[in-house]
Amino acid sequence: MPKAGLNTDRVVTEAALMTDELGLNQLTLTALAARLGVRQPSLYKHVESLDSLHQRIAVQAKEELADVMGHAVMGLSRDSALVALAHAYRAWALEHPGRYHAAQRAPTPGIVEDEAVSARMVQVVAAVMAGYDLHGDDAIDAIRGLRASLHGFVSLEGSGDFALPVDIDRSFHRLVQVLTTTLSSGEVFDSGDRRHTS
């Protein structure tokens, strides 16, 4: 029996849930239509294609992750903010693996909503980096390093690739400790890659 009140938001929300259960790459319009209790052509009233659906899921996922990170760091600064952000990021990624995968998608040029929410995600992390007096290119370097570290860890953890018998929470705590220590020292941004004039 078809589900009543089918609209674009409902289609995208249900698809996002499916990605968490099955994986983003396993999502098909055929399976989504069956889950919603409609024929596949009915979906085209709400989404143009599978790629369009992926893009909509990505925007929704980025909005959720930006909210999670923003709430985590509210009222905090420097190490306490970075620690809170890192743990909130990891928890959300592990709880929503399909949506997390979708959130890694680069913003689609010309899609204002996607560009805006992608920028908001960066702004949350940039505000944390500002607490370490990192701005401009230095902030971008730090944001990229943080993202690479967190994404690498949660991706390996989520796929079950940490097989050694050592507590994973302990390892993550140590990783975050290294990140905060490095940023607090400021040494990584002091010389070598900067030109000084006298």
Side-chain angles (χ1 to χ4, degrees):
M1 181 178 181
K3 295 186 177 181
L6 192 64
N7 55 41
T8 301
D9 286 345
R10 189 170 185 182
V11 168
V12 174
T13 297
E14 200 68 35
L17 290 172
M18 285 186 70
T19 67
D20 287 338
E21 296 166 10
L22 306 175
L24 184 64
N25 293 332
Q26 300 303 313
L27 177 66
T28 66
L29 293 179
T30 300
L32 178 59
R35 182 175 176 127
L36 289 168
V38 299
R39 294 171 61 84
Q40 184 172 329
S42 298
L43 293 180
Y44 293 115
K45 299 175 184 177
H46 308 288
V47 292
E48 297 80 7
S49 63
L50 182 60
D51 186 66
S52 172
L53 180 60
H54 280 189
Q55 192 269 327
R56 289 175 182 272
I57 293 170
V59 169
Q60 183 188 89
K62 291 173 187 179
E63 288 174 344
E64 291 179 15
L65 184 52
D67 286 343
V68 164
M69 293 191 300
H71 288 140
V73 304
M74 193 173 297
L76 303 176
S77 63
R78 290 181 65 88
D79 292 356
S80 57
L82 185 60
V83 169
L85 183 146
H87 284 279
Y89 181 101
R90 178 190 178 210
W92 188 86
L94 295 178
E95 185 177 355
H96 305 290
R99 273 176 271 186
Y100 177 71
H101 183 183
Q104 304 312 305
R105 176 174 173 151
T108 304
I111 304 297
V112 175
E113 186 180 19
D114 195 1
E115 292 177 332
V117 72
S118 297
R120 185 158 71 91
M121 289 178 66
V122 173
Q123 288 164 2
V124 170
V125 188
V128 174
M129 295 307 167
Y132 294 99
D133 198 27
L134 295 174
H135 306 278
D137 290 351
D138 284 345
I140 296 300
D141 290 341
I143 290 168
R144 286 174 173 168
L146 176 64
R147 181 186 179 192
S149 299
L150 297 182
H151 176 65
F153 194 100
V154 301
S155 295
L156 289 167
E157 182 180 8
S159 59
D161 289 332
F162 286 142
L164 296 176
V166 177
D167 184 68
I168 296 177
D169 290 340
R170 168 187 157 130
S171 297
F172 187 75
H173 173 76
R174 292 280 177 88
L175 170 65
V176 176
Q177 191 174 45
V178 167
L179 293 170
T180 56
T181 300
T182 300
L183 289 171
S184 292
S185 74
E187 293 178 3
V188 71
F189 296 102
D190 275 348
S191 61
D193 59 344
R194 288 183 175 177
R195 295 182 180 177
H196 298 279
T197 58
S198 56

